[in-house]
Amino acid sequence: MSNKIENYLISFGEELGKEGYKAGVNTFCKAKGEMAAYTIDNYMNARFEIRLEDFAMYSG
């Protein structure tokens, strides 16, 4: 009986490790994607503000 429990715990630990790794990778990829989107948004906003200032300066 003790051997079955030990085998079950080993199997459970291996599965938990796989899931933990997969969850970690998914979290990292999501964070990396969000960081890229944030960077692009900041660039687009800064570019728009510069063009708006240029337009205001040359049209007025």
Side-chain angles (χ1 to χ4, degrees):
M1 185 72 155
S2 176
N3 196 20
K4 286 184 180 181
I5 293 173
E6 184 178 320
N7 288 339
Y8 175 76
L9 289 175
I10 290 172
S11 178
F12 179 75
E14 290 173 350
E15 289 299 317
L16 186 62
K18 290 177 191 175
E19 290 299 317
Y21 175 76
K22 186 176 178 182
V25 169
N26 286 340
T27 301
F28 176 72
C29 289
K30 182 178 178 185
K32 192 174 180 183
E34 288 175 356
M35 181 58 82
Y38 178 74
T39 302
I40 291 169
D41 285 344
N42 278 344
Y43 169 75
M44 296 294 283
N45 288 337
R47 184 174 152 199
F48 178 74
E49 288 176 8
I50 290 170
R51 288 183 181 215
L52 191 59
E53 289 171 359
D54 287 346
F55 178 77
M57 183 171 37
Y58 291 120
S59 67

